[in-house]
Amino acid sequence: IITVFQSLKGVSPISSLSTTTTKTEKKKNKETKMQENEWSVALRAMDGGAGGALSTVPPLLVPLQSGTLYFMLDDFNHNHEHAVIAGSSGIRYSSTHRVAREGAGTWQYIRDKVQSFFDSAVEFDLTRGSFIGNDNMAGRKLKDRLVTHVRAMQNLMTEIEFEWLRQWYVQGEKHAGLHPYWHGPIKSLCNSFCELERMTMDLCGLLHNESKSTANSCLSENLFDVLIESFAERSKQRRLWRQRYQDTIFSILEEDERPFSCSCLDRNYEGRCDGNLLWDGAHMPEDLDELIEIVRKYRSAFVGRDASVDSGSKSSKKRKASLMTKREQKRVASNWERLKSKLGNKS
């Protein structure tokens, strides 16, 4: 199989290889040789749109010899269902192998991505919102670079948490014990995640201190929006994971096969509010909803810092809008336009 994999390097990542083997201690006689032919693969074409089998294409049952390897070309696996029919004699083994993507999903990939981010992070001082060694950079360029940097930081945190750490800890301590190689990489990712949390809280401190000031030129509405949207996405993903942990399947598993605690994710730290600032010096709360509301308040203060004093419903609408990201404001506006259109059609 290794030889076959080497010859298939570069083929479509949705292709599949399968191999079948019979293990039997019986001596091979005429009957045994006939039984070896009981291996079969069943195939039927599927309608991708309707989600069912295509009635116009008859299903097939293809007999196979023991030790046979078959390869599904191109997108065959996407458009067909297949099942191995093992027969009745001997102990039979079947395995399926997919051509792996080499560009992502490996320890080398995420290690290099984390290192690349931290190498670029030395240029930024998130406690001051400035570039180290270049305090004179200002204006649009400074704002755009800071937004790009913070977006990359938040995307990296989301990837580490949900594509790596939670995927590891949900499989239980028994699984971890069987894969000692991954202990070091997982610990490294935990440390990186905690450092990214500290940097994020430094930035929240900057937003708290400078949102009402006109002196700091690095802040922009986009900067607040990146944090709000990133926190909201991570909060949504965490709720989905909490639902997953409630699956009844875990109750029938052995204790060491159930999800176990991650030191940098499952702190159960609720945080404390000091005025408008949620702050423990380094770590973010596990429940991000309160932090989202606090950043929204910072955004509102930033947007309204130069506004003249208004009164009445118009001022109230402006304050409400200032709590929302630009995407949320566009969504509200488009919903209002659709509502007006419906009302116009009825009249």
Side-chain angles (χ1 to χ4, degrees):
I1 293 178
I2 294 175
T3 302
V4 175
F5 269 122
Q6 289 175 342
S7 66
L8 291 172
K9 184 177 181 181
V11 302
S12 170
I14 59 176
S15 303
S16 294
L17 284 164
S18 289
T19 181
T20 60
T21 303
T22 302
K23 180 181 179 181
T24 177
E25 296 179 357
K26 295 181 180 179
K27 293 182 179 180
K28 289 189 176 182
N29 51 35
K30 185 176 180 180
E31 181 181 357
T32 304
K33 290 181 179 179
M34 289 178 62
Q35 288 174 340
E36 286 185 352
N37 290 330
E38 290 182 9
W39 272 114
S40 303
V41 58
L43 304 165
R44 67 175 181 178
M46 304 297 292
D47 182 357
L54 280 175
S55 58
T56 56
V57 180
L60 296 177
L61 186 65
V62 182
L64 300 174
Q65 292 287 339
S66 182
T68 298
L69 181 146
Y70 66 90
F71 175 50
M72 290 178 285
L73 293 168
D74 301 322
D75 61 351
F76 186 92
N77 192 42
H78 275 199
N79 302 315
H80 295 76
E81 284 186 343
H82 68 107
V84 174
I85 310 300
S88 59
S89 63
I91 302 173
R92 299 178 180 272
Y93 297 91
S94 173
S95 60
T96 299
H97 308 268
R98 299 190 184 279
V99 179
R101 297 177 186 269
E102 297 182 356
T106 65
W107 163 236
Q108 290 78 12
Y109 153 79
I110 192 64
R111 178 199 63 194
D112 293 346
K113 189 171 184 177
V114 170
Q115 187 59 52
S116 176
F117 175 81
F118 282 119
D119 288 345
S120 66
V122 298
E123 302 177 5
F124 296 85
D125 181 357
L126 294 180
T127 62
R128 297 173 53 206
S130 62
F131 285 84
I132 297 175
N134 195 352
D135 291 335
N136 294 325
M137 183 182 292
R140 193 70 185 176
K141 185 176 181 180
L142 171 62
K143 295 177 181 179
D144 289 346
R145 285 193 63 181
L146 185 58
V147 168
T148 300
H149 175 73
V150 171
R151 180 180 287 110
M153 176 171 65
Q154 296 305 309
N155 288 342
L156 182 58
M157 291 180 70
T158 299
E159 182 173 3
I160 291 174
E161 176 173 349
F162 299 109
E163 298 298 326
W164 294 90
L165 297 183
R166 293 198 182 276
Q167 300 289 349
W168 170 262
Y169 284 95
V170 76
Q171 298 181 77
E173 292 179 314
K174 181 179 180 179
H175 171 269
L178 293 172
H179 300 277
Y181 165 82
W182 280 100
H183 294 181
I186 293 298
K187 182 179 180 181
S188 176
L189 289 175
C190 282
N191 292 337
S192 297
F193 187 85
C194 289
E195 177 62 15
L196 291 168
E197 276 197 331
R198 184 196 63 76
M199 295 168 66
T200 301
M201 293 307 290
D202 283 346
L203 180 59
C204 288
L206 173 69
L207 300 185
H208 169 65
N209 296 329
E210 302 293 343
S211 58
K212 295 182 180 180
S213 171
T214 58
N216 194 303
S217 60
C218 73
L219 302 189
S220 65
E221 292 182 46
N222 290 337
L223 183 60
F224 291 92
D225 291 356
V226 164
L227 285 180
I228 293 171
E229 291 168 357
S230 299
F231 293 168
E233 175 60 25
R234 209 140 66 237
S235 181
K236 174 184 174 182
Q237 294 275 10
R238 288 180 180 181
R239 284 194 295 271
L240 293 174
W241 271 91
R242 283 195 290 270
Q243 293 175 12
R244 182 177 297 182
Y245 292 146
Q246 300 304 312
D247 195 310
T248 54
I249 187 64
F250 293 121
S251 63
I252 64 175
L253 295 178
E254 297 294 333
E255 187 69 29
D256 61 356
E257 295 176 348
R258 300 175 187 175
F260 66 111
S261 177
C262 173
S263 59
C264 67
L265 295 177
D266 305 313
R267 294 186 296 264
N268 294 320
Y269 174 72
E270 298 298 334
R272 63 177 182 273
C273 284
D274 179 13
N276 289 324
L277 181 63
L278 183 69
W279 183 260
D280 79 328
H283 298 300
M284 298 171 66
E286 186 174 347
D287 185 350
L288 296 175
D289 290 345
E290 187 176 2
L291 187 56
I292 292 171
E293 293 307 310
I294 290 172
V295 176
R296 287 189 186 278
K297 291 180 181 179
Y298 297 163
R299 187 189 193 283
S300 180
F302 173 76
V303 172
R305 70 196 188 287
D306 295 326
S308 58
V309 179
D310 293 327
S311 60
S313 60
K314 188 175 181 180
S315 176
S316 177
K317 288 180 180 179
K318 286 184 178 180
R319 285 195 297 270
K320 185 176 181 180
S322 67
L323 293 167
M324 296 187 292
T325 66
K326 291 180 178 179
R327 287 184 181 178
E328 291 169 336
Q329 292 177 35
K330 288 181 180 179
R331 195 178 304 127
V332 169
S334 62
N335 289 340
W336 171 238
E337 291 300 323
R338 283 196 294 269
L339 179 59
K340 287 195 299 184
S341 178
K342 289 181 179 180
L343 293 174
N345 292 335
K346 287 182 179 181
S347 60

